[in-house]
Amino acid sequence: MKKLLLVSCAAAMACSMAFAADGATVFKKCVACHGAKAEKSYLNKVPVLTTLDPAMRLADMKAYKKGEIGAGKGKYNMGAVMKGQMATLSDDDMAAVNDYISTLK
C-alpha cells in the first residue's frame, strides 16, 4: 500500500510539473488584458510586457502575488487585479509564463 501511494504521489507531481512548464497555456488567462502576444499596454497603466526585462517581469509577478505592488505601493497601481491573477500561479507557473512572454514578438 505504501509503495502504491508513493508511485501515485510521484505521478501526480510529474503531471503537475508538466502543466507548470507550459507557459503558453498559463498565459491564456492573461490575453484579455495583455494581448495574445503580450503587445498591449493595459489601460495605459502598464508597459507592454515584451518590453520589460525578463528578470524584472518575473520579480513583479512574484511581488504582485505577495501584495507588495499595488495602489499606494509603487508601480502601475494594478496590484489588486494582479494579486488575484497571480494567486493561483506557482513559482514554476510564473517562470514558465515569463519564459513564454520572452519568445513573443
Side-chain angles (χ1 to χ4, degrees):
M1 182 67 163
K2 287 182 183 179
K3 188 174 185 178
L4 179 60
L5 181 59
L6 289 174
V7 171
S8 296
C9 289
M13 286 177 19
C15 289
S16 171
M17 287 189 291
F19 175 74
D22 186 7
T25 298
V26 177
F27 184 74
K28 286 180 182 179
K29 72 185 236 175
C30 310
V31 170
C33 295
H34 293 290
K37 295 189 179 213
E39 77 283 6
K40 289 184 181 178
S41 173
Y42 181 69
L43 297 176
N44 293 321
K45 290 186 178 187
V46 297
V48 174
L49 296 179
T50 56
T51 66
L52 298 175
D53 173 72
M56 180 59 105
R57 195 171 49 225
L58 183 59
D60 284 351
M61 283 190 265
K62 290 179 179 185
Y64 277 125
K65 183 173 183 170
K66 293 177 184 174
E68 296 173 350
I69 298 177
K73 293 185 180 180
K75 60 167 102 169
Y76 318 138
N77 292 324
M78 295 304 297
V81 172
M82 288 303 298
K83 184 175 182 180
Q85 293 299 314
M86 294 293 115
T88 61
L89 300 184
S90 68
D91 285 350
D92 288 341
D93 291 333
M94 286 186 264
V97 168
N98 191 45
D99 290 345
Y100 175 71
I101 291 169
S102 294
T103 69
L104 300 174
K105 301 278 180 204

